[in-house]
Amino acid sequence: MKKQWWKESVVYQIYPRSFMDGNGDGIGDIPGILSKLDYLQNLGVDVIWLSPVYESPNDDNGYDISDYRSILGEFGTIDDWKSLLEGLHDRGMKLIMDLVVNHSSDEHAWFVESRKSKDNPYRDYYIWREGKGGKEPNDWGSFFSGSAWQRDEATGEYFLHLFSKKQPDLNWENEALRQEIYDMMTWWLDLGIDGFRMDVINLISKVPELPNAGNGDGKYVFGGEYFMNGPRIHEYLQEMNRKVLSKYDIMTVGEAIGVTPEEASLYVGEDRGELNMVFHFELMDVDSGPGGKWDVVPWKLSDLKRIIGKWQRSLHGKGWNSLYLNNHDQPRMVSRFGDDGRYRIESAKMLATLLHTLQGTPYVYQGEELGMVNVKFDGVSEYKDIETLNMYEEYAAAGRDHSEIMNSIYVKGRDNARTPMQWNGSANAGFTTGTPWIRVNPSYMDINAERTLADENSVFHYYRKLIRLRKENEIAVYGDYRPLLENDNRVFAYVRSLGDDRLVVVLNFFGAPAEVVFDELIAYGNCELYIGNYEDAPRNELEQRIELRPYEARVYKLTK
Ligand code: ISL
Ligand code: CA
């Protein structure tokens, strides 16, 4: 595969509201991030993905942007932001910005104009339709509950919003709108940023007829077939690439809801001129039942193995994978796929080993390197996330049991990831001297950066080592992937190969010991333990029969 800096990088995601508060108002900000640059450099990450810091009324914590070219006052000033870019570059790190252009805020100047009248020059920047028989133009539901349409008083027409009603969808069919977006992207790139993470980018092209998605029973339904990977999506991305992206040495990663590996290769194929990587959702859906995200079912290791294996093999030689198990929209990975009690440390390291030994670019979400865990607030009023709050209201109105709803929030809610970063054991985990905008996870006395930095066997230091090893071993980046022990339902194992070298990865996914016997054992001259999460694993021998301890991870490097 073609060598590229972004393939060899590890990305760290900062959710600015929850990372570090610099001025004591309870809200994380850019000066706060500036005070932690050495921490990030110490971890060894290469690229920072900064979730939105633009002007926003914060209906969806910054994913509703009212001015794409200015920084939200709560987060700081454009000069603070410039210091951030410079501080990262000085330390050899890069910065990618979040690009949210499927929708804007309803407070964006374009929408303020657009809603004024049917013949306003900005009308066509958004998706307006007449109602049908006093109802919405179609039956699509919003990702955040209820209809995806909102009737607007001024003209009596409805506008489309796949997310909240304060996030109207932009009309990409409109060429002037597209050009405004390209100009805005160019403006940021000329300030020196190193790329973009593109929010729900595979939703920007809608089937123009906007057909009904359900069976006419009056329910709002998911209309994904009419807006995921829509008819003009690849045309738009190729245009964006031609006009903007191709002119810079940058990285791009698109969030792509509902893409299969086959579709993904159209977005990231190296000969396609679109994006470098996509975030797919297949792994994030393994514990969703027929009722969707909140209908929680246990995940199965066989599904994880099948999905990861499929993505590894399908993109090999064609395009590049992104590797993540959590972000600001997902529960904490150690609570979801590991054990956040007795084996928290072992399982956090085991999952990290998986992410950093696959082909693709690993993404670390803030706090993951501490092994941060999910949170359980007592009442729904402690929660801040619009998706969670709207869902609660809808489900409660439908008569669902309170404790059942709370339980799915505990397992799946986005605020699990959004509690403040746990820096130390002092008040509010050292995140703020004021009152935090969302409550701190009570686990902070035990789980915090200060403690983990001081302990050489901590999750943090394990991440450092993984990141460093990946830099020193091309095989971890570029090697191909072949599954081992495919039918084992406790252990995930695979081998990566590059030339004559092999990396053998063996991961016990559960809290009970597991014995594995390799039916094929590749005889190599040298065997060396690349990394492991237990102190006393054999260092120079890969036995045919291995007894793995709870959540044990071992990686061996074999050379001729
Ligand atoms: O996973 C999800 C579906 O229920 C949602 O949490 C999420 O909205 C979806 O993954 C899309 O995410 C992105 O766009 C949203 C924003 O709220 C998310 O934070 C963002 O990552 C709208 O901009
Ligand atoms: Ca602040």
Side-chain angles (χ1 to χ4, degrees):
M1 299 216 64
K2 205 172 154 208
K3 293 190 179 162
Q4 302 278 7
W5 63 262
W6 42 264
K7 295 181 180 173
E8 296 165 19
S9 294
V10 173
V11 182
Y12 185 93
Q13 182 191 354
I14 291 183
Y15 193 69
R17 228 178 166 65
S18 305
F19 190 66
M20 180 66 201
D21 178 17
N23 64 353
D25 67 355
I27 297 168
D29 48 43
I30 298 173
I33 302 173
L34 278 167
S35 70
K36 298 297 180 185
L37 293 186
D38 293 336
Y39 170 86
L40 297 169
Q41 188 180 29
N42 183 16
L43 181 58
V45 295
D46 308 281
V47 178
I48 302 301
W49 150 24
L50 185 60
S51 276
V53 289
Y54 314 98
E55 196 68 57
S56 165
N58 278 318
D59 192 50
D60 185 20
N61 286 0
Y63 281 90
D64 49 320
I65 298 170
S66 53
D67 182 352
Y68 287 101
R69 299 188 198 209
S70 65
I71 302 292
L72 180 66
E74 282 175 342
F75 288 150
T77 63
I78 190 77
D79 287 328
D80 294 329
W81 180 85
K82 285 181 178 162
S83 310
L84 173 62
L85 183 66
E86 207 180 288
L88 288 169
H89 284 171
D90 285 348
R91 289 169 179 78
M93 290 182 275
K94 295 181 189 283
L95 177 63
I96 69 172
M97 296 289 279
D98 219 307
L99 181 78
V100 189
V101 291
N102 173 69
H103 43 269
S104 72
S105 162
D106 66 337
E107 297 182 33
H108 192 289
W110 297 335
F111 191 77
V112 172
E113 285 301 311
S114 188
R115 76 189 333 172
K116 281 183 180 163
S117 67
K118 290 185 191 174
D119 55 9
N120 187 282
Y122 289 92
R123 185 67 168 183
D124 193 42
Y125 273 34
Y126 295 85
I127 302 172
W128 292 95
R129 292 287 188 279
E130 279 174 8
K132 284 207 177 120
K135 292 203 55 172
E136 296 88 4
N138 73 21
D139 60 4
W140 297 358
S142 145
F143 281 94
F144 294 162
S145 303
S147 170
W149 294 94
Q150 178 68 25
R151 186 176 179 279
D152 200 51
E153 269 318 307
T155 61
E157 286 193 337
Y158 291 76
F159 65 86
L160 179 70
H161 62 89
L162 293 180
F163 294 90
S164 99
K165 57 178 186 291
K166 287 185 66 62
Q167 292 169 299
D169 280 54
L170 288 161
N171 178 21
W172 277 71
E173 302 273 334
N174 184 298
E175 210 184 317
L177 176 269
R178 295 204 301 278
Q179 194 54 51
E180 297 234 32
I181 290 172
Y182 304 151
D183 291 346
M184 175 272 285
M185 293 171 72
T186 302
W187 186 82
W188 283 103
L189 287 162
D190 288 343
L191 285 174
I193 66 166
D194 304 291
F196 290 108
R197 174 270 184 186
M198 302 184 186
D199 194 64
V200 289
I201 198 69
N202 75 319
L203 308 188
I204 60 177
S205 165
K206 280 87 176 168
V207 169
E209 296 75 26
L210 311 176
N212 279 320
N215 56 15
D217 64 3
K219 289 207 180 91
Y220 301 126
V221 291
F222 181 63
E225 58 190 298
Y226 302 115
F227 55 73
M228 297 189 313
N229 318 310
R232 297 182 68 185
I233 183 69
H234 297 294
E235 176 196 333
Y236 296 154
L237 289 176
Q238 285 171 14
E239 178 182 76
M240 178 195 284
N241 189 293
R242 205 170 54 243
K243 291 193 166 180
V244 186
L245 307 174
S246 61
K247 302 189 173 152
Y248 302 85
D249 177 22
I250 53 172
M251 69 165 267
T252 53
V253 53
E255 190 194 26
I257 296 186
V259 292
T260 62
E262 292 70 38
E263 284 156 345
S265 64
L266 299 175
Y267 288 92
V268 304
E270 299 200 338
D271 52 353
R272 299 266 312 161
E274 297 189 18
L275 304 174
N276 298 145
M277 291 169 256
V278 292
F279 291 128
H280 72 75
F281 279 72
E282 268 199 86
L283 275 177
M284 297 295 108
D285 291 336
V286 290
D287 50 5
S288 300
K293 163 171 179 166
W294 303 106
D295 174 17
V296 185
V297 299
W299 55 270
K300 294 202 288 289
L301 182 60
S302 55
D303 286 335
L304 261 64
K305 291 168 96 165
R306 177 179 52 77
I307 294 165
I308 290 174
K310 181 174 68 175
W311 280 86
Q312 288 287 297
R313 280 176 290 185
S314 315
L315 290 186
H316 182 69
K318 290 189 205 141
W320 199 244
N321 269 293
S322 71
L323 307 167
Y324 76 100
L325 285 176
N326 51 201
N327 59 36
H328 66 295
D329 292 333
Q330 300 293 336
R332 292 282 175 183
M333 78 180 190
V334 68
S335 298
R336 190 177 194 181
F337 298 113
D339 171 357
D340 60 11
R342 177 165 176 203
Y343 293 114
R344 182 181 68 84
I345 292 175
E346 289 81 357
S347 63
K349 292 177 181 175
M350 185 278 290
L351 293 166
T353 311
L354 171 69
L355 287 171
H356 293 258
T357 58
L358 289 167
Q359 191 186 73
T361 297
Y363 289 74
V364 179
Y365 178 66
Q366 68 185 38
E368 177 186 325
E369 76 281 16
L370 312 178
M372 275 179 66
V373 300
N374 281 353
V375 74
K376 286 184 180 173
F377 294 141
D378 292 339
V380 73
S381 60
E382 304 268 16
Y383 286 85
K384 305 289 177 193
D385 171 30
I386 182 167
E387 183 194 39
T388 298
L389 296 173
N390 287 1
M391 179 279 285
Y392 184 91
E393 205 174 302
E394 180 188 316
Y395 282 22
R400 299 227 197 161
D401 179 60
H402 167 79
S403 59
E404 243 171 68
I405 312 177
M406 290 312 291
N407 203 50
S408 35
I409 296 174
Y410 294 156
V411 181
K412 285 289 192 71
R414 306 199 296 184
D415 283 338
N416 281 308
R418 299 177 180 186
T419 61
M421 180 74 176
Q422 292 161 206
W423 293 108
N424 57 45
S426 72
N428 294 315
F431 162 74
T432 181
T433 53
T435 307
W437 70 275
I438 186 171
R439 266 181 55 201
V440 171
N441 189 319
S443 64
Y444 74 92
M445 296 296 274
D446 179 34
I447 306 170
N448 64 60
E450 192 176 280
R451 277 190 77 165
T452 202
L453 280 162
D455 171 6
E456 61 176 45
N457 291 318
S458 67
V459 178
F460 181 92
H461 289 291
Y462 192 85
Y463 268 82
R464 280 189 70 190
K465 195 169 167 195
L466 272 173
I467 293 167
R468 195 184 64 237
L469 281 171
R470 200 170 169 283
K471 287 205 180 12
E472 293 165 356
N473 293 274
E474 272 204 326
I475 185 171
V477 177
Y478 294 108
D480 67 14
Y481 169 95
R482 189 162 55 82
L484 297 171
L485 308 169
E486 272 190 284
N487 299 318
D488 194 307
N489 53 23
R490 298 155 305 162
V491 175
F492 196 165
Y494 46 91
V495 55
R496 307 278 311 279
S497 328
L498 189 70
D500 284 339
D501 295 352
R502 299 287 179 270
L503 210 56
V504 178
V505 182
V506 192
L507 311 167
N508 180 1
F509 251 77
F510 296 96
E515 188 187 62
V516 295
V517 178
F518 289 105
D519 37 22
E520 54 163 325
L521 190 66
I522 332 141
Y524 276 81
N526 291 308
C527 171
E528 190 195 319
L529 187 70
Y530 171 94
I531 194 165
N533 61 354
Y534 279 80
E535 272 305 283
D536 53 350
R539 306 199 73 84
N540 294 104
E541 163 187 33
L542 174 60
E543 314 107 297
Q544 184 162 17
R545 182 183 297 271
I546 301 185
E547 179 80 32
L548 294 165
R549 288 157 285 187
Y551 292 102
E552 183 162 7
R554 283 197 221 172
V555 184
Y556 286 100
K557 189 174 178 187
L558 310 175
T559 47
K560 283 232 154 120

